[in-house]
């Protein structure tokens, strides 16, 4: 009997608590199931599959109709668990006590700086980070990278907390961290201390890279030397690099090009991830195209934060924004640059909304950046590509032997999947239904509301 007749009013498939079983009559993005057998394609880059779950792993991918019993998904989509490669757990959920009064980037910087100075105790950060991670878990995220404000002496507390959270969350969400500081703060002994702290914690070396001015003028004195030093600090410690880059609408911002040129000049062998890169969309086409080509040649990956950037960029009180705040994702993908999407800030002065829900990130990315018609090339941006950038090769794909950490959706076609929040999704971990629920905002009241 079809699933819809058994459960006409609700999406509640009964999953076996133990043993192996088939997920029958499933639909999956072809880009996420490269080992699927021939003849499975449906349309619009979607596959019709039966998926065997066995021993906590994906045991097999077969043509729809192969299995004679199991859980009938009635054509609903199945994805591997999400990877969120750019977040800010230490800032998350402070909005109720540190609202950005004008919604601007300078307003966000000022609000966070004041809040961090007075209220970021270890207990405060832990409560907010744990809340955020429980949200990510319930939404289906399996790996997450957070940037941590790394300003001494406060940074020692932040990184100590991260190490504890990573251990506590092992087996639920793979946690990574990158330092967030200014390029200037990585000068001299101070920079060495930060790099050592990051290396000791198994993190990634990161900084905010932004160059104002005019594209035709030289870089500020000492800027190239500072970038060289950051690359050298990473090389000496075997670290990957993770930059916030050109997060503005200035046509003359050109740190991204300087980073690419530095990586090429030094023949840097580790990974470089650059986030935001908003200014690229405001530059002349020929200049932007050259920067994109340099990034591709240097092997730089880009992570785009569409919801936060659309919120902050081109915000002038009383004036309608003229652009969307995001970078050149179509051009980057065409050039072969690995492009991923991520949550960025969550309910803090840089973005008043969000819930670390990567399906929301994907859905809004499609809408904001016109990634549809066709959309099938983009699911990798929240799965396979961040898995590669984060050095988690066993994540991000539906393939035999991969963990059966899956997300099951009622939506079948792209328009069904992206038209609704899919709040009735079912998350599997090691092939078993995850019973995690979204935490109640009221849990954070003792920390953020003053009630």
């Amino acid at each position: 009997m079809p699933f819809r007749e058994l459960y006409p009013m609700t999406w509640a498939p009964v999953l076996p608590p133990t043993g192996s079983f088939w997920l029958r009559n499933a639909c999956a993005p072809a880009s996420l199931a490269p080992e699927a057998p021939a003849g499975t394609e449906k349309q619009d880059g979607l596959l019709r599959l039966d998926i065997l779950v066995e021993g906590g792993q994906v045991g097999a991918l077969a043509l729809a109709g192969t299995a004679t019993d199991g859980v009938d998904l009635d054509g609903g989509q199945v994805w591997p668990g999400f990877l969120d490669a750019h977040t800010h757990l230490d800032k998350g959920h402070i909005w109720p006590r540190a609202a950005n009064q004008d919604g601007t980037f300078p307003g966000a910087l000022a609000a966070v700086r004041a809040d961090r100075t007075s209220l970021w105790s270890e207990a405060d950060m832990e409560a907010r980070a744990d809340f955020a991670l429980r949200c990510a878990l319930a939404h289906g995220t399996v790996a997450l990278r957070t940037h941590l404000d790394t300003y001494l002496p406060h940074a020692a507390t932040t990184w100590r907390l991260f190490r504890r959270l990573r251990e506590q969350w092992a087996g639920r969400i793979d946690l990574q961290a990158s330092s967030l500081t200014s390029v200037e703060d990585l000068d001299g002994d101070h920079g060495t201390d930060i790099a050592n702290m990051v290396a000791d914690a198994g993190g990634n070396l990161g900084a905010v890279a932004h160059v104002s001015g005019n594209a035709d003028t030289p870089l500020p004195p000492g800027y190239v030397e500072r970038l060289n030093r950051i690359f050298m600090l990473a090389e000496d410690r075997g670290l990957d690099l993770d930059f916030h880059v050109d997060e503005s609408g200035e046509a003359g911002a050109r740190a991204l090009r300087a980073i690419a040129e530095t990586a090429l000049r030094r023949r840097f062998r580790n990974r470089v991830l650059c986030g935001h890169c908003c200014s690229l969309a405001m530059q002349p086409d020929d200049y932007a195209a050259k920067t994109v080509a340099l990034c591709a040649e240097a092997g730089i990956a880009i992570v785009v934060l569409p919801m936060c950037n659309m919120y902050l960029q081109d915000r002038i009180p009383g004036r309608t924004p003229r652009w969307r705040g995001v970078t050149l994702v179509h051009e980057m993908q065409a050039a072969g640059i690995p492009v991923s999407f991520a949550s960025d800030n969550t309910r803090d002065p840089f973005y008043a909304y969000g819930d670390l829900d990567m399906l929301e990130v994907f859905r809004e990315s499609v809408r904001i950046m016109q990634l549809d018609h066709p959309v099938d090339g983009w699911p990798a941006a929240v799965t396979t590509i961040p898995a590669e950038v984060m050095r988690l090769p066993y994540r991000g794909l539906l393939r035999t032997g991969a963990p059966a950490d899956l997300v099951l959706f009622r939506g079948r076609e792209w328009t069904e999947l992206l038209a609704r929040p899919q709040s009735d999704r079912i998350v599997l971990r090691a092939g078993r239904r995850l019973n995690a629920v979204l935490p109640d905002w009221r849990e954070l009241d003792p920390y953020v509301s003053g009630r």
Side-chain angles (χ1 to χ4, degrees), residues 42-65:
K42 184 181 177 185
Q43 60 181 7
D44 297 330
L46 295 171
L47 306 176
R48 291 287 298 276
L49 295 170
D50 288 348
I51 302 170
L52 176 64
V53 175
E54 187 174 42
Q57 298 180 327
V58 175
L61 301 177
L63 292 169

Side-chain angles (χ1 to χ4, degrees), residues 68 165 176 191 281 331 416:
T68 57
L165 286 170
Q176 299 181 358
E331 293 83 350
E416 291 183 358

Side-chain angles (χ1 to χ4, degrees), residues 6 47 70 83 85 106 202-203 228 234 251 254 276 288 301 343 356 378 414 435:
L6 286 171
L47 306 176
L83 293 95
N228 269 316
R254 56 204 190 279
H276 299 289
S343 294
L356 295 186
W378 292 103
W414 291 117
N435 292 321

Side-chain angles (χ1 to χ4, degrees), residues 226-437:
R226 283 195 163 110
L227 286 181
N228 269 316
R229 172 169 170 76
I230 293 171
F231 274 77
M232 179 270 292
L233 290 170
E235 290 164 351
D236 290 349
R237 294 159 181 80
L239 301 177
D240 290 344
L241 288 168
D242 191 348
F243 292 98
H244 283 59
V245 185
D246 294 337
E247 190 179 358
S248 78
E250 298 175 66
R254 56 204 190 279
L256 181 60
R257 179 176 288 199
I259 289 169
E261 291 172 340
T262 303
L264 287 167
R265 184 173 60 253
R266 299 186 67 91
R267 299 180 182 177
F268 188 69
R269 295 180 178 274
N270 281 356
R271 287 170 172 76
V272 181
L273 179 63
C274 291
H276 299 289
C277 310
C278 309
S279 301
L280 199 63
M282 305 302 291
Q283 295 171 349
D285 288 347
D286 55 347
Y287 186 89
K290 176 62 175 176
T291 300
V292 168
L294 286 169
C295 288
E297 183 182 357
I300 290 174
I302 304 293
V303 59
V304 184
L305 303 315
M307 297 191 301
C308 181
N309 285 144
M310 196 168 183
Y311 175 81
L312 283 175
Q313 298 304 312
D314 203 24
R315 183 185 284 269
I316 300 173
R319 172 185 175 273
T320 302
R322 302 296 198 263
W323 71 301
R324 301 183 184 208
V326 292
T327 195
L328 304 182
V329 294
H330 292 274
E331 293 83 350
M332 289 175 173
Q333 188 195 57
I337 293 174
V339 176
S340 56
F341 312 137
S343 294
D344 204 8
N345 300 74
T346 306
R347 297 183 67 241
D348 69 32
F350 286 92
Y351 184 57
Y353 316 110
D355 200 36
L356 295 186
D357 179 359
M358 286 301 289
L359 182 68
E360 179 193 19
V361 171
F362 181 73
R363 183 179 66 245
E364 295 309 310
S365 297
V366 170
R367 296 173 179 180
I368 293 168
M369 296 179 286
Q370 298 179 355
L371 306 181
D372 42 12
H373 314 302
V375 71
D376 57 279
W378 292 103
V382 293
T383 51
T384 314
I385 292 172
E388 170 64 22
V389 170
M390 297 170 73
R391 298 183 182 270
L392 298 172
Y394 55 92
R395 295 293 189 189
L397 286 174
L398 293 170
R399 62 184 175 192
T400 303
D405 296 343
L406 308 174
V407 188
L408 316 182
F409 300 107
R410 188 65 172 149
R412 299 166 297 180
E413 312 296 341
W414 291 117
T415 55
E416 291 183 358
L417 183 77
L418 300 177
R420 293 179 179 172
Q422 305 294 326
S423 300
D424 56 355
R425 75 192 72 173
I426 293 171
V427 178
L428 303 188
R429 289 302 176 88
R432 300 295 168 245
R433 183 168 184 166
L434 184 70
N435 292 321
V437 297

Side-chain angles (χ1 to χ4, degrees), residues 87-91 120 125 129 145-151 154-155 157-163 165 176-181 198 201 206 244:
T87 69
H88 292 268
L89 292 180
D90 55 356
K91 295 180 177 69
W120 287 20
M125 289 189 293
R145 178 182 290 184
T146 180
H147 290 263
L148 301 174
D149 283 18
T150 304
Y151 301 98
H154 167 80
T157 300
T158 305
W159 281 87
R160 180 175 64 246
L161 170 61
F162 164 74
R163 295 170 82 155
L165 286 170
Q176 299 181 358
S178 301
S179 57
L180 180 60
T181 188
V198 170
H244 283 59

Side-chain angles (χ1 to χ4, degrees), residues 87-130:
T87 69
H88 292 268
L89 292 180
D90 55 356
K91 295 180 177 69
H93 300 288
I94 64 172
W95 181 274
R97 72 184 190 205
N100 184 343
Q101 297 301 327
D102 60 8
T104 64
F105 196 93
L109 286 173
V112 166
R113 188 179 298 114
D115 195 74
R116 181 179 66 231
T117 301
S118 60
L119 294 173
W120 287 20
S121 68
E122 191 163 348
D124 170 71
M125 289 189 293
E126 182 169 15
R128 293 184 287 100
D130 183 76

